[in-house]
């Protein structure tokens, strides 16, 4: 199937032709991959005869998919320009990320709140990866609603919730940026990111 047609299923459709051109121009192997939980996307620099490789999780909403794709292409471009001399999320990467987001702003691909979150993310020198919470939350609003799936921060204290692997926890107080949660079976304490997705068992 035509590459752009495939990309249109994952990206805001008006963004697909340009991403298609980047794939060709940068000679990048672009893969839409299963959800890896810990990350949205991945860039691998040329290594042992293999060229540039980018993969992005299939289950991101179109805006999150686009932001992640541009994030990874900014790594590729930075690699081409500086190789190992630039830090993964350093100034060079950040400038490329900014530059490469521009055409999508010009095409008005993003809803105003997402655009606002991306712009403030781009202007925040401390922000580096997609783990930026404000950006992530505003992107998340556009996910298709899932039943009984909540983020830890939205649950009341003492709520009991379940992970995909079946383990059951009780939410406790917030410690700095994360929530203390006790696994009911083992009584062991774990720290959860406020935006971790869990299934509510009882509120
Ligand atoms: Zn990165």
């Amino acid at each position: 199937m035509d590459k752009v047609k495939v990309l249109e299923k994952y990206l805001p459709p008006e963004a697909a032709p340009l991403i298609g051109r980047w794939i060709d121009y940068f000679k990048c192997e672009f893969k839409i991959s299963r959800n890896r939980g810990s990350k949205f996307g991945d860039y691998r620099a040329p290594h042992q005869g293999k060229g540039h490789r980018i993969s992005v999780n299939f289950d991101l909403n179109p805006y999150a998919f686009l932001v992640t794709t541009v994030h990874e292409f900014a790594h590729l471009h930075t690699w081409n320009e500086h190789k190992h001399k630039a830090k993964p999320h350093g100034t060079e990467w950040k400038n490329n990320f900014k530059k490469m987001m521009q055409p999508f702003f010009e095409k008005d691909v993003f809803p105003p709140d997402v655009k606002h979150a991306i712009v403030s993310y781009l202007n925040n020198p401390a922000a580096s990866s997609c783990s930026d919470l404000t950006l992530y939350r505003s992107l998340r609003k556009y996910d298709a609603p899932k039943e009984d799936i909540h983020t830890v921060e939205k649950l009341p204290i003492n709520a009991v919730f379940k992970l995909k692997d079946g383990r059951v926890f009780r939410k406790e107080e917030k410690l700095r940026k994360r929530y203390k949660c006790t696994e009911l079976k083992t009584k062991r304490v774990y720290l959860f990111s406020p935006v971790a997705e869990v299934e509510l068992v009882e509120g």
Side-chain angles (χ1 to χ4, degrees), residues 71-72 75 88-89 93 128-130:
H71 176 115
E72 304 307 339
H75 280 306
H89 297 107
W93 171 81
S128 57
S129 68
C130 257

Side-chain angles (χ1 to χ4, degrees), residues 49-81:
K50 294 203 171 160
H52 299 288
R53 280 167 295 162
I54 286 176
S55 64
V56 179
N57 289 1
F58 79 101
D59 59 350
L60 298 174
N61 73 54
Y63 305 120
F65 194 98
L66 178 57
V67 171
T68 305
T69 301
V70 177
H71 176 115
E72 304 307 339
F73 269 104
H75 280 306
L76 185 160
H77 195 33
T78 307
W79 168 264
N80 277 348
E81 290 177 332

Side-chain angles (χ1 to χ4, degrees), residues 82-97:
H82 305 282
K83 303 288 182 295
H84 289 295
K85 279 182 254 141
K87 288 207 187 100
H89 297 107
T91 329
E92 297 86 351
W93 171 81
K94 192 130 199 177
N95 288 338
N96 281 331
F97 188 31

Side-chain angles (χ1 to χ4, degrees), residues 124-176:
N124 174 5
S128 57
S129 68
C130 257
S131 60
D132 181 83
L133 289 186
T134 319
L135 175 59
Y136 184 62
R137 282 191 193 106
S138 79
L139 290 172
R140 265 281 271 283
K141 280 204 304 215
Y142 293 88
D143 286 353
K146 290 182 219 157
E147 261 174 71
D148 280 327
I149 300 290
H150 305 264
T151 53
V152 168
E153 67 183 344
K154 294 275 162 65
L155 297 177
I157 292 284
N158 288 326
V160 175
F161 64 85
K162 199 163 88 175
L163 295 186
K164 277 200 192 99
D165 64 9
R167 289 191 295 159
V168 179
F169 298 81
R170 182 186 308 281
K171 173 178 167 177
E172 284 154 35
E173 76 269 24
K174 197 172 184 186
L175 293 176
R176 293 163 165 270

